[in-house]
Amino acid sequence: VQLQAFGGGLVQAGGSLRLSCAANGTFARINNMGWYRQAPGKQRDLVATITSDGTTDYANSVKGRFTISRDNAKNTMYLQMNGLKLEDTDVYYCYAKVVRVGLTYEYTYWGPGTLVTVSS
């Protein structure tokens, strides 16, 4: 199972970006998915999560600006980021809790990270 993340880049403050995270490989199902972000030398912070049935949760710092969603048919998750602020500059990592075929437990897979840079 591999996760591929797309959509990072440079944007001006107040602008928008959409990140995508696609899971590829063979597996039985994907449970929770989500996004973390991390600045150099700092801890990785949770941004948003989404369950397999679409229940979402957000960090207080992004509530009302970011929207997480997923397309289960495409095994893909999205993070729509609006009203971006300078402090949103980070490397964004997606994760997925995957149950592999023939197994009953889930394993957490991580994407490689995509850089989001917000400029003034």
Side-chain angles (χ1 to χ4, degrees):
V1 179
Q2 288 187 328
L3 299 186
Q4 294 180 297
F6 306 94
L10 175 65
V11 63
Q12 286 191 322
S16 299
L17 280 176
R18 189 173 86 150
L19 305 182
S20 302
C21 178
N24 299 300
T26 302
F27 42 84
R29 67 179 183 275
I30 302 175
N31 292 335
N32 287 13
M33 303 181 78
W35 294 91
Y36 277 75
R37 62 187 182 185
Q38 185 174 28
K42 295 188 176 181
Q43 69 178 21
R44 192 172 290 190
D45 294 325
L46 183 64
V47 176
T49 63
I50 186 166
T51 65
S52 57
D53 63 1
T55 301
T56 60
D57 195 17
Y58 298 91
N60 288 334
S61 58
V62 306
K63 280 182 181 177
R65 299 188 298 122
F66 290 10
T67 301
I68 189 171
S69 61
R70 63 192 281 176
D71 184 335
N72 290 332
K74 296 181 179 179
N75 297 318
T76 300
M77 170 181 61
Y78 307 96
L79 185 68
Q80 178 66 43
M81 304 185 293
N82 299 329
L84 282 161
K85 304 177 180 180
L86 297 179
E87 53 264 39
D88 293 319
T89 295
D90 267 324
V91 178
Y92 285 71
Y93 297 89
C94 64
Y95 75 90
K97 294 185 180 292
V98 178
V99 178
R100 295 170 61 182
V101 175
L103 301 177
T104 58
Y105 58 87
E106 61 184 22
Y107 184 82
T108 301
Y109 291 88
W110 290 89
T114 184
L115 177 62
V116 172
T117 304
V118 184
S119 64
S120 59

